[in-house]
Amino acid sequence: MTMAVPQGEGLAVVCRAVTKEFRQGSVIVRALRGVDVEVRMGELTLLMGPSGCGKTTLLSVMAGILDPTSGSINVLGSDIERLTSRQKTAFRMKNIGFVFQMHNLLPALSAMENTAVPLLIARRPRNAALAAARQLLEGVGLGERVDALPSRLSGGEQQRVAIARALVHRPRLLVCDEPTSALDAKSGHAIMQQLRDIAVEPDRAVVVVTHDPRVIEFADRIATMDDGRITDVRETKA
Amino acid sequence: MLWIAWRILVGDTAKYLGMIIGVAFASLLIAQQASIFCGLMRLTVSQILDVEGAAIWVMDPDVQFVDDIKPLSENELLRVRGVEGVRWAVRFFKGLGRARLAEGEYQQVVLLGLDDATLVGAPQTILLGSLDDLRQPDAVMMDRRGFERLWPGEPLSVGKTFEMNDRRAVIVGVCESRRTFQTFPVVYTRYSQATMFAPHERKLLSFILVQNEPNVDADALCRRITQQTGLQALTRNGFIWKTIFYYLRQTGIPVNFGITVLLGFIVGVAIAGQTFYLFAVENARQYATLKALGLSDARVVVMILQQAVVVGLIGYSIGVGGAAIFGLLIQNRSKLAFFMPWQVLLGTGIAVLVIVLAVSVLSVRRVIVMEPAEVFK
Ligand SMILES: Nc1ncnc2c1ncn2[C@@H]1O[C@H](COP(=O)(O)OP(=O)(O)OP(=O)(O)O)[C@@H](O)[C@H]1O
Ligand SMILES: [Mg+2]
């Protein structure tokens, strides 16, 4: 592909004609069928749509953990489909923060240690990493629970640790897959509020995949997907 | 990241212990069986080890091992003495005798006849009496184990008599000797005496013990002796290995122990491998998360290897330690041979290393092949 991706002002992610096919034996699943979408800096973008429409697949492609079958993706100015797998790994380490549906904390590490993991991967000294982690945990209201193991935390607290971990290395793109779906309404609401409050910054874009209509109120922009395509993008008054 | 690997490892206590037990069991089995094997092999050569002071053994060309006696004629001794580089050469008799005790019972004994003048080949540890007493008429020295066998419950003493070949033998001393396969008592005496104790035969010279001149290489001298006399000449070590190889070739011992050692290896691979694999599979999500967060495959591999090495080291230590304790416990209590030279420790270590590496390769594959995208599943 030689087509240049237009890098608009303040765009964190630009996807052009992105497709992704999965091969399952002789069956080919076309998860993405030509996605064109942009994610803006300083905004919280929701990615919504029915189950199986390709939201997680698109998010994975944007985050550089899944290679598209065709199309081009520019993330933070880098054409990541051109990066080698090793470069992509380094790119993620530096630029991407992740919040997963199932928090994915390491069960043997304390909240603070879990939060420090991205800095440790970036080879920051352990003490500095832990200090930064503690600060962020205080920021999400878990200053008292820094030494607790994930199993000792509630679902909402675990997800707050996950948010702290996603932000500790100051990534410029934060991707969240169903961050509230394992939580009750109240904790889900609190988590979205927290994401809005501390994650959204002028120099950072936040993409949240969800099919929970209650989180719409936290979005700046909502992209709707259906059957592997973006069907609608609209701005909201967050 | 290494402390994280460590924490992931010990965080899963059940599997962590399972893997250690697997490796420990395997190394215990391997080290213990190998030590018993080495112990048995050492038994086969203890009669050579018991003879110190001579660098070279000369014998009939057809002799295969230390108990395979094919006597030489007396003038072979003179011919050996005539070979250049031989400092001295003396007679050594080794044969079986039949002791008739005062009570009228008979007992087979190993009869050793030492050169009358020099007593080369004499026992190294004398518990009772002195070597010089052997020069008295009819004098013999018996090993402690033999004494205890012939006179159970009695304290070691000198002065006991028995008959061999209708001649009186007086015990003038008690000594230690290494255990052998045959558990017969060992009777030391002078060569001239031994020829009378032994059943009548035409030739009695079992071995010629030779010392080389200080400036002459023992191996070279062996070759020269063989060349000039047609006899078989071996260094002490050479004779030890010849005997061991004979037993290896002629008996089922190596096969039997080989099978057990292999079994230990397979059991170790199976237990440790399976647990480690399960461990890797169950922790795959953690590794996928770390990979998504930007941890390179190379560093993931290092983490897994570190976990495997920790498990291997701890399991190895427990297993080898257990085998050593087993060896100490049985040392005095049973007739089982047990000998753990450093080669056994090294060999077991290598086996454990192979187990651990094989297992990590499996796990590494499982974690590396996995896409980081699996974290969103
Ligand atoms: N690794 C894979 N192998 C095969 N098919 C896959 C794979 N990942 C996703 N798919 C298929 O691709 C399609 C899109 O999946 P995706 O997970 O992106 O949907 P989604 O919108 O996130 O759904 P949900 O809301 O249920 O999470 C689905 O039909 C799914 O079965
Ligand atoms: Mg999904």
Side-chain angles (χ1 to χ4, degrees):
Chain A
M1 268 296 221
T2 52
M3 185 187 85
V5 175
Q7 173 66 34
E9 190 66 22
L11 291 182
V13 182
V14 180
C15 295
R16 291 287 175 257
V18 172
T19 71
K20 178 67 189 180
E21 292 172 358
F22 291 108
R23 209 168 242 294
Q24 271 184 328
S26 56
V27 185
I28 293 178
V29 182
R30 300 177 64 194
L32 300 179
R33 300 167 178 247
V35 169
D36 293 286
V37 74
E38 291 154 12
V39 174
R40 285 162 199 273
M41 276 293 180
E43 288 191 358
L44 193 157
T45 302
L46 278 190
L47 201 51
M48 302 191 74
S51 183
C53 71
K55 303 181 296 292
T56 297
T57 305
L58 180 57
L59 195 69
S60 303
V61 168
M62 285 180 180
I65 57 176
L66 189 67
D67 294 328
T69 305
S70 69
S72 67
I73 306 110
N74 187 291
V75 180
L76 306 168
S78 301
D79 292 330
I80 61 163
E81 82 275 9
R82 300 217 182 121
L83 302 182
T84 65
S85 133
R86 190 186 284 235
Q87 287 169 324
K88 253 182 292 208
T89 302
F91 182 83
R92 291 198 302 272
M93 177 178 83
K94 188 161 173 284
N95 297 305
I96 315 282
F98 289 87
V99 178
F100 308 99
Q101 176 178 3
M102 296 305 301
H103 65 76
N104 285 5
L105 299 174
L106 304 192
L109 301 190
S110 71
M112 182 165 58
E113 290 163 339
N114 262 294
T115 305
V117 161
L119 294 177
L120 296 168
I121 290 176
R123 299 187 193 276
R124 284 271 291 278
R126 191 166 157 187
N127 284 340
L130 290 176
R134 177 188 287 276
Q135 213 175 1
L136 261 157
L137 285 174
E138 280 163 4
V140 296
L142 286 176
E144 309 287 304
R145 310 298 317 267
V146 288
D147 292 321
L149 291 178
S151 55
R152 301 263 164 216
L153 298 173
S154 72
E157 287 171 330
Q158 289 172 349
Q159 206 57 306
R160 271 142 77 190
V161 175
I163 290 175
R165 176 177 69 181
L167 295 175
V168 73
H169 54 308
R170 311 205 57 75
R172 295 175 62 216
L173 176 64
L174 187 64
V175 296
C176 315
D177 195 9
E178 316 258 14
T180 62
S181 65
L183 304 176
D184 58 66
K186 192 160 157 277
S187 321
H189 196 274
I191 286 298
M192 285 310 295
Q193 189 62 55
Q194 215 138 37
L195 273 178
R196 260 243 74 94
D197 290 347
I198 67 167
V200 180
E201 288 182 6
D203 199 28
R204 181 183 292 139
V206 181
V207 183
V208 177
V209 164
T210 186
H211 47 228
D212 180 358
R214 285 172 303 187
V215 309
I216 290 176
E217 57 175 296
F218 298 99
D220 296 302
R221 200 170 295 271
I222 298 173
T224 309
M225 282 188 82
D226 195 15
D227 197 17
R229 288 191 188 86
I230 299 283
T231 52
D232 177 52
V233 180
R234 66 191 161 90
E235 213 171 332
T236 63
K237 28 145 196 59
Chain B
M1 297 310 291
L2 292 186
W3 65 272
I4 295 184
W6 167 248
R7 293 280 283 278
I8 291 178
L9 180 64
V10 296
D12 196 343
T13 319
K15 289 206 195 56
Y16 174 56
L17 292 182
M19 290 183 278
I20 286 181
I21 288 170
V23 173
F25 188 71
S27 41
L28 176 76
L29 217 58
I30 294 172
Q32 194 243 30
Q33 288 297 315
S35 296
I36 291 178
F37 174 72
C38 289
L40 284 179
M41 284 301 116
R42 199 171 60 160
L43 281 190
T44 67
V45 298
S46 39
Q47 298 181 62
I48 308 175
L49 292 172
D50 268 344
V51 174
E52 280 190 6
I56 293 169
W57 292 59
V58 179
M59 63 206 87
D60 184 274
D62 293 333
V63 167
Q64 298 291 319
F65 59 105
V66 68
D67 284 313
D68 181 24
I69 312 277
K70 300 195 164 65
L72 309 167
S73 64
E74 280 292 315
N75 61 3
E76 305 284 15
L77 178 63
L78 299 176
R79 293 179 62 204
V80 170
R81 282 179 177 159
V83 175
E84 191 190 326
V86 170
R87 188 165 177 207
W88 49 253
V90 298
R91 299 176 179 84
F92 186 69
F93 173 84
K94 176 173 173 337
L96 288 178
R98 215 155 75 108
R100 182 167 178 272
L101 304 182
E103 298 77 29
E105 291 166 47
Y106 284 98
Q107 169 67 52
Q108 285 268 35
V109 299
V110 173
L111 189 56
L112 298 178
L114 315 176
D115 177 59
D116 285 53
T118 60
L119 298 182
V120 169
Q124 291 142 42
T125 314
I126 293 173
L127 303 172
L128 213 58
S130 86
L131 206 52
D132 268 341
D133 298 338
L134 264 192
R135 300 186 193 279
Q136 297 165 14
D138 306 331
V140 299
M141 208 174 251
M142 185 176 279
D143 73 319
R144 176 185 54 79
R145 223 172 279 111
F147 189 99
E148 286 167 352
R149 174 153 175 200
L150 292 185
W151 296 283
E154 289 188 34
L156 302 181
S157 63
V158 296
K160 288 206 176 287
T161 62
F162 54 92
E163 277 182 10
M164 280 193 288
N165 200 22
D166 294 333
R167 288 192 66 102
R168 201 173 83 105
V170 185
I171 294 184
V172 298
V174 179
C175 60
E176 281 295 359
S177 70
R178 289 179 172 81
R179 280 205 353 243
T180 62
F181 264 139
Q182 314 149 338
T183 46
F184 300 146
V186 180
V187 173
Y188 286 90
T189 185
R190 278 169 289 120
Y191 186 87
S192 56
Q193 194 86 50
T195 56
M196 291 185 279
F197 286 147
H200 280 300
E201 273 177 44
R202 201 165 48 82
K203 294 190 289 184
L204 288 164
L205 183 52
S206 326
F207 295 100
I208 300 170
L209 299 179
V210 173
Q211 188 63 33
N212 47 333
E213 292 285 0
N215 56 347
V216 174
D217 176 61
D219 287 304
L221 182 57
C222 286
R223 282 193 295 274
R224 197 166 333 140
I225 292 173
T226 302
Q227 215 171 37
Q228 294 186 15
T229 64
L231 298 174
Q232 177 173 214
L234 298 168
T235 60
R236 186 166 180 263
N237 252 335
F239 195 26
I240 286 173
W241 283 112
K242 187 174 176 93
T243 300
I244 288 179
F245 281 130
Y246 172 80
Y247 278 96
L248 289 183
R249 268 198 323 273
Q250 297 298 323
T251 67
I253 294 173
V255 178
N256 283 329
F257 281 86
I259 289 173
T260 324
V261 168
L262 194 71
L263 217 63
F265 188 76
I266 292 172
V267 167
V269 171
I271 301 181
Q274 191 168 331
T275 337
F276 202 91
Y277 186 69
L278 274 180
F279 173 79
V281 168
E282 281 190 16
N283 291 298
R285 194 178 182 79
Q286 300 189 42
Y287 282 107
T289 303
L290 292 173
K291 281 170 67 168
L293 298 185
L295 191 67
S296 66
D297 282 348
R299 289 168 78 193
V300 170
V301 170
V302 170
M303 287 175 77
I304 289 177
L305 279 181
Q306 187 217 1
Q307 292 172 336
V309 165
V310 166
V311 165
L313 264 181
I314 297 177
Y316 170 76
S317 310
I318 294 176
V320 167
I325 290 171
F326 168 86
L328 283 179
L329 287 183
I330 66 158
Q331 202 160 44
N332 300 318
R333 292 202 198 154
S334 93
K335 297 194 155 52
L336 207 55
F338 190 94
F339 176 47
M340 194 192 265
W342 62 267
Q343 287 91 339
V344 166
L345 297 181
L346 182 71
T348 309
I350 290 173
V352 167
L353 196 69
V354 169
I355 293 176
V356 156
L357 285 184
V359 162
S360 343
V361 166
L362 279 177
S363 319
V364 163
R365 266 185 56 85
R366 176 68 181 79
V367 173
I368 293 292
V369 167
M370 188 183 53
E371 288 290 324
E374 289 189 35
V375 289
F376 281 143
K377 291 281 133 58

